[in-house]
Amino acid sequence: MTAVQEPVTTVRTVTAEIDGHTVTVPEGTTIYDAARQAGVDIPVLCHDERYDPVGVCRMCVVDTGGRAFAAACVRPCEDGMQVRTSTPELERNRATLTELLLADQPPRAEDPKQTTTGDNLLLALADRYGVARETTDLPCGSGRGRDSSNPVIDVDHDACILCDRCVRACDDIQGNDVIGRSGKGHATRIAFDLDDPMGASSCVTCGECVQACPTGALTNKPINDVPIRPREELDSVHTVCPYCGVGCALTYHVDRSRGAIVFAEGRDQPGSQSRLCVKGRYGWDYAASPQRLTVPLIRRDSSYPKGPLSADVRGDPADRAENDRGRAGAGGSRSGGGRGEPLSRNGRDRTRKPGGLVDYDEVLPHFREATWEEALDLVATRLKEIHARGGPGAIAGFGSAKCSNEEAYLFQKLIRAGFGTNNVDHCTRLCHASSVAALFEGVGSGAVSTTYGDVANADVVIITGSNPTANHPVASSFFKQARRRGTTIVYVDPRASTVAEHADYHCQVKPGTDVAFYNALMHEVIRLGLIDREFIAARTSNYEELARTVADYPPERAAQITGVDADLIREVARVWGEAKAAVVYWGMGISQHTTGTDNARCLIALCSITGNVGRPGTGLHPLRGQNNVQGASDAGLIPMFYPDYQGVDSDSPRRRFEEAWGTELDPNRGLTVTEIIGSVLEPDGVRGMYMLGENPFLSDPNINKVRKALAALDFLVVQDIFLTETAEFADVVLPASSYLEKDGTYTNTDRRVQLGRKVLEPPGRARVDWEIIQDIANRIGLDWSYAGPDEVFDEMVALMPSYRNLRHDNLGLSGKLYPNADPEHTDGTIVMFDERFNTDDGLAHLVPAEWLPAKELPDAEYPLVLNTGRLLEHWHTGSMTRRSFALDSISPVAEVYLHPKDAAERGLAHGELARVRSRRGVIELRVRISHREQLGNCFIPFHFREAAANLLTIDAIDPYGKIPEFKFCAVQVEPLGARA
């Protein structure tokens, strides 16, 4: 099986002769594709096999014996057809056509593509046919203009040959429908939206058009003044994207003389199929930021008692009042977005720097540089002292889903084997912990049951609690393609995001009402008799209890709770129930609730009672957030499971790991991320922490509580690539490696294990993460001697049945899906649970759920519901993306998205500054009027430290997944001049 399995159909064949080669091909095969099969080269300009053929350039015309030449890219083969592809007349026509196209082009020495990547396909044809712009007598047309409004893409309309490859790349591949044509005659040119400048259009800067363009019409701009040069002059490194869980394959082209990435391109792989989004194609320069940590840092004695070091991170009202008094005493205030800026801790006037990053000038004076030996010795000594004094429960570790499988495995092994505690967790607790809890309970596995590409085989798809066009843009391109081929898309989400524009049905539920909605769907599916009785009887348990529960949720009741019309609920239930194959993809709008586990239980039940698990085009797929959150979870970076979800409180797995690691292990489940923060505030709780690549100051809920906890720790070591907000509370800061500076494996949302390859050298004295972990392990008494990530991977795989048979040397360029019985010859398992589930009894356990309201509801003082989430251009706490030129240029400002009526009632206009407050804090940011929001709701991205959304969010958690309620809390939005 392949990662994107097309439906199998029976087709007729035809036989034709092409330049003396006899070929037999399926009926409908074009002459061009048949010629390629026969090894015959036909020149093309407008054609690319990835796009729908259009035949506009006529370069590929061939002689079929008819009255006129036929475009090979669109003309299908016919039985008995005789084709000639390179007669003298055809070659003369191609030479003339090339000369005509070349006449309007810029001179070769000034061509935007030839002077950069050196691969202008039109110029290659000119060389083939011996024509040149400089020697032609044809007049040169120009004046169609240039467009440099996009920060990373240049448009030269005079270099455009109107081949429409960019149009088809945008439409056929990415599904964005931004590019078309405008004008008439010679003035015709490609247009973005209604002929807007590219930078002002709805273009999402995925760069697919640049990759498609055969001339210099669309080219990349240099980033950070690194000149773009031909590929053959650069070092090409094949790796995978460091951002979301889609795990797109890409190639970085590196200038070794400069030690810098020049540009990136999508690379073929069964999942992503050469596609990238704006982050993957243009968001890699964060690694070259001058703010990279390059030397170990130790907090100065004068900076104790410990606390936050910058005015922004201190951030409490008392500090702000004191700073205001300081400004008044200094003779007034300095304007900064409508309010005075605070003074720094040392009293100097501090103007907020663009981009909202930690002010190194303000924070670094509180640390001194140290050698690695001194820093590591101090880390080991202090953590051992705390462990000796307070016991295993006094130590905790936060790992990172940005790190490799090997680093995640070593980190959890260090905490468990070195300190005897299961207090180790990572950001899965903040994204899909409830999904994993429900999946493990229901089907015995926390991983997805099918791939995002398997949407090609689905009749119906539910996308719920997710905005994949922003959060998983490459996966969303497959969803959009499927819809064009006839798949019905049902979108269920409180926001009318761009996914709604591609959906057949948009069910705009009220926030926190998912259980009621899905219970109503099941109610109707059962009432209509659209359940799969055979599947239920043979492969599920507890159906009768489920049926009794959902019987209380007729569409009329659900409509009152959810706000979705009862008739729409009935229609969606019928469409789902009648589907031959249906799949659910969900995101954090399902999981990030105090009822997140119940939400996921409903999705599992909905698929199970209709038999939509275990076949192509069916299944359960929680779209994973970070690039390695699946792998980090698989590798045991969670407090209740060893690697491969083997329970720490189960005797057999524990004995197995004790034998493998040579030490006694804690039989009790550890604390989760949010529980660790709470524990720090208890007298006998966690006292020492090792923080690897996590930034809980911005990522965790209720930031004021996090601030108090971080300040209360006896000892904190932060290992990261930048000085984060969390690092301001550190006793020791260790400079780590970015994703681009190390080798390792990463597991994407599809269960695809891929090799990430080293692209650059770490800056200064920064070191690779797994080596730092090993050095600390040896200093606390563990005897580790791994020579490289491959040795760690081998040990990990031996303890993880799901990863059995995988090795670094059989992953190849495309990686492998797990489980995989024969990775030497197969890609791996696409569809899981075809015969049995991974539960002890092999059955899907149906768990009914009752709808419960959110923990904090709106009232007169806080009348709006806040939803938080991500933007396309940014990533989590922004430490990477806000240091990327392209990404920060496109989206530099924190905004609160408001329904027009909600804004009007508050006297707020688009672009104005507003104050958003909850029972936990206050932030200030700009207003964005948005028709995508429901009345009574607002949306704030959580990437911006200067307007940290999680200062507002509630830290109530789901009782099963222990995930916070990021998607629902009560707030008020008001003009900045209103009383706080």
Side-chain angles (χ1 to χ4, degrees):
M1 300 176 78
T2 59
V4 180
Q5 180 186 354
E6 298 294 343
V8 177
T9 57
T10 302
V11 295
R12 295 177 55 195
T13 61
V14 297
T15 300
E17 184 180 291
I18 302 177
D19 287 350
H21 301 274
T22 300
V23 293
T24 300
V25 294
E27 189 175 44
T29 301
T30 64
I31 295 172
Y32 178 82
D33 289 336
R36 288 186 64 199
Q37 181 176 315
V40 175
D41 173 55
I42 300 176
V44 292
L45 267 180
C46 73
H47 185 61
D48 187 302
E49 56 269 21
R50 299 174 69 214
Y51 318 139
D52 291 341
V54 292
V56 298
C57 78
R58 315 307 291 177
M59 190 65 66
C60 70
V61 293
V62 294
D63 186 352
T64 63
R67 289 183 302 170
F69 294 149
C73 69
V74 294
R75 177 71 179 272
C77 285
E78 298 173 7
D79 223 12
M81 178 183 278
Q82 293 188 340
V83 180
R84 291 182 295 171
T85 70
S86 57
T87 66
E89 187 178 3
L90 286 169
E91 291 298 281
R92 282 196 302 273
N93 283 355
R94 289 169 183 153
T96 300
L97 178 57
T98 301
E99 186 177 14
L100 288 167
L101 291 171
L102 198 63
D104 289 349
Q105 293 291 298
R108 182 183 290 254
E110 300 172 15
D111 182 82
K113 180 155 287 190
Q114 201 64 20
T115 55
T116 54
T117 50
D119 55 354
N120 186 312
L121 299 185
L122 179 59
L123 292 181
L125 284 173
D127 293 340
R128 173 174 175 167
Y129 293 113
V131 297
R133 180 185 184 276
E134 291 75 14
T135 59
T136 183
D137 293 329
L138 295 171
C140 175
S142 61
R144 287 184 289 176
R146 298 189 65 164
D147 177 3
S148 294
S149 58
N150 186 288
V152 287
I153 299 175
D154 248 330
V155 185
D156 186 342
H157 289 288
D158 287 330
C160 177
I161 60 173
L162 297 175
C163 67
D164 285 350
R165 278 172 62 154
C166 61
V167 177
R168 288 172 287 147
C170 188
D171 294 356
D172 301 351
I173 303 300
Q174 294 284 357
N176 292 323
D177 304 325
V178 176
I179 310 177
R181 287 193 184 193
S182 72
K184 295 181 180 179
H186 184 266
T188 304
R189 66 181 195 172
I190 61 169
F192 302 91
D193 292 339
L194 299 177
D195 208 11
D196 298 320
M198 188 184 198
S201 73
S202 61
C203 170
V204 295
T205 316
C206 67
E208 193 75 45
C209 59
V210 177
Q211 190 155 320
C213 183
T215 69
L218 289 158
T219 53
N220 290 326
K221 295 178 181 179
I223 293 177
N224 293 337
D225 298 321
V226 179
I228 298 177
R229 293 161 49 198
R231 295 166 187 79
E232 57 268 20
E233 297 178 13
L234 304 171
D235 185 12
S236 299
V237 182
H238 304 307
T239 183
V240 292
C241 180
Y243 286 106
C244 82
V246 175
C248 298
L250 53 71
T251 298
Y252 292 116
H253 299 284
V254 184
D255 186 335
R256 292 297 177 197
S257 65
R258 294 174 177 266
I261 294 171
V262 179
F263 64 100
E265 291 182 304
R267 180 168 57 81
D268 195 25
Q269 174 240 60
S272 57
Q273 297 183 0
S274 302
R275 306 174 199 195
L276 293 175
C277 76
V278 60
K279 291 191 289 291
R281 198 180 300 273
Y282 300 111
W284 33 261
D285 54 317
Y286 70 91
S289 167
Q291 289 197 328
R292 283 292 301 276
L293 294 170
T294 60
V295 63
L297 302 172
I298 294 176
R299 197 180 195 91
R300 295 184 184 276
D301 292 342
S302 58
S303 293
Y304 288 92
K306 191 166 60 172
L309 302 173
S310 68
D312 279 346
V313 174
R314 287 203 305 279
D316 58 74
D319 282 338
R320 285 201 296 272
E322 182 179 347
N323 290 331
D324 289 341
R325 287 193 297 272
R327 279 194 298 275
S333 68
R334 184 184 290 238
S335 176
R339 65 187 178 97
E341 294 294 340
L343 297 180
S344 69
R345 202 176 197 184
N346 58 19
R348 66 179 178 81
D349 188 20
R350 179 186 176 279
T351 302
R352 189 190 309 279
K353 293 186 174 182
L357 302 175
V358 170
D359 186 345
Y360 278 39
D361 291 339
E362 186 177 22
V363 175
L364 278 180
H366 296 276
F367 292 91
R368 64 175 178 84
E369 294 186 357
T371 64
W372 272 105
E373 292 297 312
E374 181 187 13
L376 292 173
D377 285 347
L378 179 59
V379 168
T381 299
R382 291 299 309 278
L383 290 179
K384 284 195 296 184
E385 289 174 351
I386 292 170
H387 180 261
R389 184 171 63 249
I395 300 293
F398 285 0
S400 174
K402 303 304 297 175
C403 289
S404 67
N405 289 325
E406 294 81 4
E407 289 160 345
Y409 174 81
L410 288 185
F411 189 81
Q412 60 87 34
K413 181 180 177 181
L414 167 68
I415 300 298
R416 288 181 162 125
F419 296 104
T421 179
N422 291 311
N423 292 343
V424 61
D425 207 354
H426 76 296
C427 69
T428 193
R429 193 64 44 209
L430 308 176
C431 59
H432 268 304
S434 53
S435 302
V436 171
L439 286 166
F440 194 79
E441 167 192 69
V443 300
S445 169
V448 301
S449 74
T450 192
T451 65
Y452 60 80
D454 194 32
V455 68
N457 295 311
D459 302 319
V460 177
V461 169
I462 289 178
I463 302 170
T464 179
S466 174
N467 180 11
T469 51
N471 299 340
H472 304 90
V474 168
S476 78
S477 71
F478 288 92
F479 302 157
K480 289 181 276 189
Q481 280 186 326
R483 200 236 177 174
R484 292 184 181 206
R485 290 194 295 262
T487 299
T488 298
I489 303 290
V490 179
Y491 186 50
V492 186
D493 196 81
R495 303 186 71 221
S497 75
T498 51
V499 183
E501 297 163 13
H502 298 273
D504 297 275
Y505 303 97
H506 178 208
C507 302
Q508 195 166 18
V509 296
K510 295 178 182 177
T513 63
D514 301 274
V515 167
F517 178 80
Y518 289 107
N519 278 353
L521 288 189
M522 288 188 280
H523 174 284
E524 280 297 287
V525 167
I526 293 170
R527 185 185 69 81
L528 294 170
L530 298 176
I531 59 175
D532 187 330
R533 298 185 185 279
E534 183 178 343
F535 188 93
I536 291 171
R539 301 200 55 195
T540 72
S541 66
N542 205 36
Y543 169 74
E544 296 301 330
E545 183 62 30
L546 176 79
R548 279 193 292 271
T549 298
V550 302
D552 291 335
Y553 290 85
E556 287 74 18
R557 182 191 177 201
Q560 291 179 332
I561 297 171
T562 67
V564 178
D565 186 78
D567 287 339
L568 179 55
I569 294 174
R570 291 189 188 94
E571 175 67 7
V572 169
R574 182 191 60 78
V575 167
W576 176 269
E578 292 178 350
K580 294 183 177 66
V583 62
V584 177
Y585 297 94
W586 74 89
M588 286 172 273
I590 288 292
S591 59
Q592 287 182 335
H593 287 281
T594 52
T595 57
T597 303
D598 282 343
N599 294 343
R601 285 166 171 162
C602 289
L603 299 179
I604 294 167
L606 178 65
C607 285
S608 298
I609 66 172
T610 51
N612 281 307
V613 188
R615 296 179 289 112
T618 71
L620 301 152
H621 191 127
L623 288 158
R624 296 310 216 153
Q626 296 209 43
N627 67 321
N628 201 40
V629 71
Q630 182 67 60
S633 300
D634 293 345
L637 201 55
I638 38 183
M640 62 286 297
F641 294 121
Y642 296 123
D644 211 9
Y645 309 97
Q646 300 172 75
V648 299
D649 50 0
S650 298
D651 290 340
S652 179
R654 186 172 64 258
R655 287 194 297 269
R656 185 180 181 209
F657 281 92
E658 285 177 341
E659 181 179 352
W661 294 345
T663 188
E664 185 177 342
L665 297 173
D666 183 3
N668 302 303
R669 294 186 173 200
L671 301 176
T672 64
V673 163
T674 47
E675 290 172 330
I676 288 169
I677 293 298
S679 173
V680 174
L681 297 174
E682 300 295 328
D684 56 350
V686 171
R687 309 297 342 134
M689 282 197 68
Y690 183 180
M691 202 87 70
L692 171 62
E694 286 286 276
N695 190 15
F697 186 86
L698 287 187
S699 63
D700 284 23
N702 193 354
I703 281 175
N704 282 325
K705 180 178 179 180
V706 177
R707 179 189 291 111
K708 293 175 183 176
L710 293 175
L713 282 167
D714 291 349
F715 184 77
L716 172 63
V717 52
V718 171
Q719 184 171 315
D720 217 319
I721 62 175
F722 297 113
L723 197 63
T724 64
E725 291 76 11
T726 300
E728 293 190 28
F729 298 84
D731 298 89
V732 177
V733 179
L734 303 177
S737 50
S738 77
Y739 169 89
L740 298 165
E741 295 150 8
K742 56 193 174 187
D743 295 319
T745 61
Y746 300 82
T747 306
N748 80 344
T749 190
D750 278 349
R751 297 175 271 106
R752 183 174 296 278
V753 185
Q754 303 180 89
L755 280 171
R757 292 175 174 85
K758 182 178 178 179
V759 181
L760 303 169
E761 293 295 328
R765 285 190 272 158
R767 295 182 58 197
V768 174
D769 290 272
W770 73 265
E771 294 178 348
I772 301 172
I773 299 168
Q774 177 163 274
D775 280 352
I776 292 174
N778 287 329
R779 278 172 167 78
I780 66 168
L782 300 176
D783 185 18
W784 292 2
S785 57
Y786 302 103
D790 55 337
E791 290 189 7
V792 181
F793 189 75
D794 289 343
E795 176 180 310
M796 181 178 77
V797 167
L799 294 165
M800 297 174 61
S802 295
Y803 279 52
R804 185 178 293 120
N805 303 318
L806 297 182
R807 302 188 311 276
H808 270 209
D809 58 7
N810 64 25
L811 295 178
L813 289 175
S814 298
K816 299 291 179 180
L817 296 171
Y818 78 78
N820 196 320
D822 184 12
E824 303 292 342
H825 303 98
T826 69
D827 193 47
T829 302
I830 295 175
V831 178
M832 293 179 66
F833 316 134
D834 54 346
E835 295 181 356
R836 72 184 309 276
F837 293 95
N838 284 359
T839 53
D840 291 340
D841 56 10
L843 302 177
H845 300 161
L846 307 181
V847 182
E850 296 282 1
W851 173 73
L852 297 171
K855 293 295 184 183
E856 180 181 83
L857 298 175
D859 58 16
E861 185 176 3
Y862 301 101
L864 298 176
V865 174
L866 169 65
N867 181 11
T868 67
R870 299 199 295 262
L871 299 177
L872 167 63
E873 296 82 10
H874 283 299
W875 194 247
H876 291 261
T877 64
S879 61
M880 293 160 59
T881 56
R882 301 194 73 189
R883 291 176 171 91
S884 164
F885 165 76
L887 305 178
D888 197 54
S889 296
I890 297 170
S891 185
V893 178
E895 295 174 313
V896 53
Y897 292 61
L898 277 175
H899 187 279
K901 186 176 180 181
D902 285 326
E905 287 177 351
R906 289 160 174 76
L908 292 167
H910 186 82
E912 287 185 349
L913 279 169
R915 176 183 295 114
V916 184
R917 55 186 175 89
S918 74
R919 292 178 176 88
R920 287 153 296 281
V922 180
I923 62 174
E924 297 169 6
L925 68 174
R926 298 198 179 274
V927 172
R928 186 179 186 93
I929 306 300
S930 169
H931 291 274
R932 300 190 185 280
E933 313 313 314
Q934 283 192 63
L935 189 65
N937 291 261
C938 63
F939 172 78
I940 300 178
F942 57 78
H943 316 293
F944 299 89
R945 70 186 295 268
E946 64 271 35
N950 284 325
L951 192 69
L952 309 173
T953 52
I954 189 170
D955 57 354
I957 60 173
D958 175 282
Y960 306 99
K962 306 296 179 68
I963 193 170
E965 179 116 76
F966 286 118
K967 299 298 185 187
F968 198 117
C969 75
V971 299
Q972 175 63 288
V973 183
E974 55 200 8
L976 199 58
R979 182 178 177 183

